Amino acid sequence: MTGIDYQQTLRQAAAVLEDMRGLIDAALSHLKAATLVDGRVAAAQLDAHQLACYELAVSWAECTAADFLLKHAERVRTRDAAPDPLPAGLAAVFCAEVVMNCAGRLRARPRDFGVGEAQVSAALGSPAAHAFLEPQLAAAHLESVGAEVAARAGDLGPDLLGEHHSMMRDTFGRFADEVVAPLAEQIHREDLIIPEAILAPLREMGMFGLSIPESYGGLQEDGREDTLGMIVVTEELSRGSLGAAGSLITRPEILSRALLKGGTEAQKQHWLPLVAQGEPLCAVAVTEPNYGSDVAGVRLRATPAEGGWLLNGAKTWCTFGGKAGLLLVLARTEPDLALAHRGLSMFLVEKPASDSHDFEVPQDGGGRLTGRAIATIGYRGMHSFELFFDDFFVPAENMLGGDAGRGQGFYYAMAGFAGGRIQTAARAVGLMRAAFARAISYAGERVVFNHAIADYQLTRVKLARMAALLLACRQMTYEVARQMDEGGGDMAASAVKLFACKTAEWLTREALQIHGGMGYAEESPVSRYFADARVLSIFEGAEETLALKVIARALVEKAA
Ligand SMILES: Cc1cc2nc3c(=O)[nH]c(=O)nc-3n(C[C@H](O)[C@H](O)[C@H](O)COP(=O)(O)OP(=O)(O)OC[C@H]3O[C@@H](n4cnc5c(N)ncnc54)[C@H](O)[C@@H]3O)c2cc1C
């Protein structure tokens, strides 16, 4: 990696990436023309082009990650007199691989994308593009980057977090190493509920109030969002365990964003300080057995009753639904199904906390709420519940937003999910860091055919790719968090969620693969990382739904 002019390399990378973006824009315009009905992009037409939409959404997410990584590398390069060359080296490799991935997709389906071989070849085959791509993709170069990554024991250079966020990272990172990691294996293998040994100190550290303004009892400075702080903490805790710590913030994050958007002042004053203290713990009940991705369709009925509402129906996958004392429940208050998402309202449902895999909450008036934990292959520690509401009474004051909130539940849920998406990207990054660290250390120790496996070219190339992808996901997550703090970043939050979660599956797979048979043993933490990573692309917006309904739709609508 020595003797390379990184200023020039980064400039070349940016130029090649821009050319690729031009081709993607052309494909989006083509898709727009194919999906317009009466001058508007029609949902049914988009559905007729799902493959093209999906591939363009993924390509756009990858190019955006590459942009962010290039900016990060440039900041590192210009900050120090003797800059660390690794971020620039990784950024260049990442850009080259992204450009080739995108080109492969465009080349495979010229009819669908409206971009011909001549255009792709012109972009990739120019002398300038060739001068960048050929050396970056050469096996010997990838091998040398991987050797450097291994020699540095996975240190990917400065993360450029400011003092405040570095302090948060160090504090919660220590907690993850000293408290969470030693308990994580037992929680996973025995399917235990997260113990007070983890919850109590996190309450004291203020973790449950990270996204709640100070004036409502949280840690966030009033009038100034700190999404970046929330995701730095999430990343560190997820490094310790996805199920036993890193996902604890998701629920208060979603609930507090929904409350801040739609709650009455009295509801905010009452609930936010309690949520910030982690007493009660909370859970989110949106998904139903027949409605997951299609949130607008949910059917759980809320019918008016004396002083409140009666809930009837089923929810599923309500994570932490047993331990939680407060459930955020999306229900249909308007019987007219034609109202679709406008017939939904959000309720704050109180219940006693339970550590068990089954629970039952009977009410004096005959109502009942029962729950049963669903056995899962990973993501253990919080337990995800099927819930059955049977004439379960909820007081009128617990409808989010009061009378004005009736019919607004879908919008409150969406406000909550924007925070959940970026938070899930940070969970993926934390999990990848844990897997990457194990992969590097095992590759250095394990001797096969008389050599450590880290000495082989193929292992080094894997480590180089893992490092580049990890750094890209991490820096993209940070950058999108900053954008969200400035009031933007909604679409980018979906893109980074899509990209980081898919990447976590690949990276944990490779980390396990490097361990050979040992990786498949339950006693190896990498087997847990692999099982845990699999859920990331399913919840907080399934991969396909985000790609098709959020990212591709927005990109096509915006296309020229
Ligand atoms: C461990 C775990 C924890 C969870 N925790 C919670 C929680 O706390 N609260 C909560 O409310 N929910 C939770 N969920 C539910 C989660 O949000 C849903 O599983 C998710 O939204 C997907 O819904 P579904 O399972 O019904 O899948 P479906 O909607 O049935 O989708 C099945 C598949 O079809 C794809 N698909 C969907 N629509 C389309 C389309 N138009 N075109 C092409 N493909 C499509 C999906 O992407 C997916 O791959 C959790 C899930 C899991 C697994």
Side-chain angles (χ1 to χ4, degrees):
M1 288 197 61
T2 49
I4 297 174
D5 177 350
Y6 278 109
Q7 185 173 9
Q8 171 164 342
T9 306
L10 292 178
R11 221 179 281 137
Q12 287 174 323
V16 174
L17 196 63
E18 200 177 312
D19 285 348
M20 180 47 66
R21 275 205 180 274
L23 296 182
I24 291 171
D25 286 346
L28 287 166
S29 299
H30 175 79
L31 206 51
K32 184 169 188 170
T35 53
L36 282 179
V37 174
D38 296 333
R40 299 179 63 135
V41 174
Q45 291 304 312
L46 275 179
D47 267 351
H49 296 272
Q50 281 200 342
L51 182 57
C53 284
Y54 177 84
E55 293 193 333
L56 286 175
V58 171
S59 299
W60 187 85
E62 287 179 356
C63 288
T64 306
D67 277 337
F68 285 138
L69 184 51
L70 283 177
K71 280 194 196 106
H72 169 71
E74 188 59 22
R75 278 203 298 267
V76 172
R77 197 188 66 76
T78 50
R79 190 191 65 157
D80 300 327
D84 182 347
L86 187 65
L90 293 174
V93 164
F94 182 72
C95 278
E97 297 225 317
V98 161
V99 165
M100 295 313 285
N101 290 345
C102 296
R105 294 183 194 115
L106 293 175
R107 277 188 160 129
R109 272 173 272 285
R111 193 185 310 167
D112 293 287
F113 294 121
V115 173
E117 176 58 36
Q119 285 162 280
V120 182
S121 294
L124 299 187
S126 71
H130 185 74
F132 168 69
L133 292 171
E134 195 278 327
Q136 289 303 322
L137 296 171
H141 177 66
L142 294 173
E143 180 180 356
S144 78
V145 175
E148 175 78 14
V149 165
R152 294 168 52 136
D155 163 19
L156 302 183
D159 56 22
L160 302 188
L161 291 171
E163 200 183 327
H164 172 64
H165 293 122
S166 297
M167 209 170 72
M168 289 172 102
R169 180 198 58 202
D170 294 346
T171 307
F172 283 91
R174 242 187 338 268
F175 182 78
D177 290 332
E178 291 169 7
V179 179
V180 178
L183 294 168
E185 208 53 33
Q186 193 193 5
I187 293 171
H188 172 69
R189 286 170 75 177
E190 296 175 22
D191 197 14
L192 305 177
I193 194 84
I194 303 176
E196 281 300 316
I198 291 177
L199 293 172
L202 285 177
R203 283 193 191 98
E204 270 176 36
M205 290 159 91
M207 189 217 67
F208 292 96
L210 279 171
S211 303
I212 297 179
E214 273 173 353
S215 53
Y216 293 113
L219 283 192
Q220 195 169 271
E221 210 178 299
D222 285 339
R224 213 162 144 241
E225 294 208 2
D226 187 16
T227 309
L228 184 57
M230 182 273 287
I231 66 158
V232 165
V233 172
T234 295
E235 180 187 320
E236 290 303 326
L237 293 178
S238 301
R239 204 168 50 72
S241 164
L242 181 76
S247 303
L248 281 168
I249 306 180
T250 320
R251 277 134 273 280
E253 169 70 23
I254 293 174
L255 192 139
S256 58
R257 277 189 191 254
L259 246 171
L260 286 166
K261 177 165 175 76
T264 62
E265 192 50 38
Q267 286 171 335
K268 291 183 206 170
Q269 296 278 0
H270 177 69
W271 289 109
L272 288 172
L274 299 174
V275 172
Q277 286 163 29
E279 285 286 6
L281 295 163
C282 53
V284 176
V286 169
T287 306
E288 297 181 0
N290 290 324
Y291 296 92
S293 307
D294 183 9
V295 175
V298 305
R299 288 288 191 274
L300 185 116
R301 266 182 305 125
T303 41
E306 179 70 36
W309 298 82
L310 289 178
L311 302 191
N312 277 287
K315 289 284 176 187
T316 191
W317 291 113
C318 177
T319 301
F320 228 23
K323 187 82 174 170
L326 180 65
L327 307 179
L328 185 71
V329 180
L330 188 63
R332 188 163 291 280
T333 43
E334 316 311 311
D336 179 3
L337 289 179
L339 285 171
H341 66 285
R342 283 170 287 122
L344 300 173
S345 305
M346 196 64 105
F347 291 90
L348 294 155
V349 174
E350 294 172 84
K351 65 175 261 302
S354 156
D355 280 358
S356 166
H357 284 71
D358 296 276
F359 68 85
E360 186 170 319
V361 183
Q363 288 183 319
D364 287 345
R368 187 173 303 273
L369 168 63
T370 48
R372 186 188 70 85
I374 304 166
T376 55
I377 58 170
Y379 190 57
R380 298 183 185 148
M382 310 186 83
H383 304 157
S384 298
F385 283 80
E386 291 174 336
L387 301 176
F388 301 95
F389 293 84
D390 180 11
D391 275 342
F392 195 78
F393 178 76
V394 184
E397 65 264 27
N398 286 30
M399 184 160 84
L400 193 61
D403 285 344
R406 195 163 164 177
Q408 297 297 308
F410 179 82
Y411 302 103
Y412 301 156
M414 292 303 132
F417 289 163
R421 282 175 194 156
I422 184 77
Q423 202 260 345
T424 303
R427 288 193 273 178
V429 171
L431 189 57
M432 283 192 269
R433 280 180 59 204
F436 181 57
R438 295 270 172 186
I440 289 188
S441 88
Y442 192 83
E445 287 159 15
R446 177 70 171 172
V447 174
V448 185
F449 299 118
N450 298 323
H451 291 280
I453 47 177
D455 292 345
Y456 291 110
Q457 185 183 67
L458 201 50
T459 315
R460 288 178 171 173
V461 172
K462 282 178 193 218
L463 294 177
R465 289 193 168 131
M466 286 165 125
L469 281 158
L470 172 53
L471 190 61
C473 290
R474 193 180 195 203
Q475 288 302 324
M476 184 175 180
T477 309
Y478 292 172
E479 205 48 47
V480 174
R482 291 185 186 105
Q483 287 182 0
M484 289 181 76
D485 286 343
E486 278 155 27
D490 262 12
M491 223 261 276
S494 295
V496 70
K497 195 271 173 190
L498 173 81
F499 176 59
C501 296
K502 268 174 79 74
T503 303
E505 272 174 51
W506 176 83
L507 194 146
T508 53
R509 186 253 182 221
E510 290 299 312
L512 188 153
Q513 187 70 14
I514 282 174
H515 283 69
M518 267 316 287
Y520 201 62
E522 222 188 15
E523 69 193 67
S524 299
V526 284
S527 65
R528 169 165 53 93
Y529 303 149
F530 180 63
D532 282 354
R534 191 59 198 83
V535 77
L536 294 166
S537 291
I538 297 173
F539 57 30
E540 305 300 336
E543 173 184 319
E544 296 75 8
T545 318
L546 281 185
L548 301 176
K549 307 260 176 217
V550 183
I551 303 169
R553 182 185 286 171
L555 290 175
V556 171
E557 276 172 0
K558 239 177 38 188

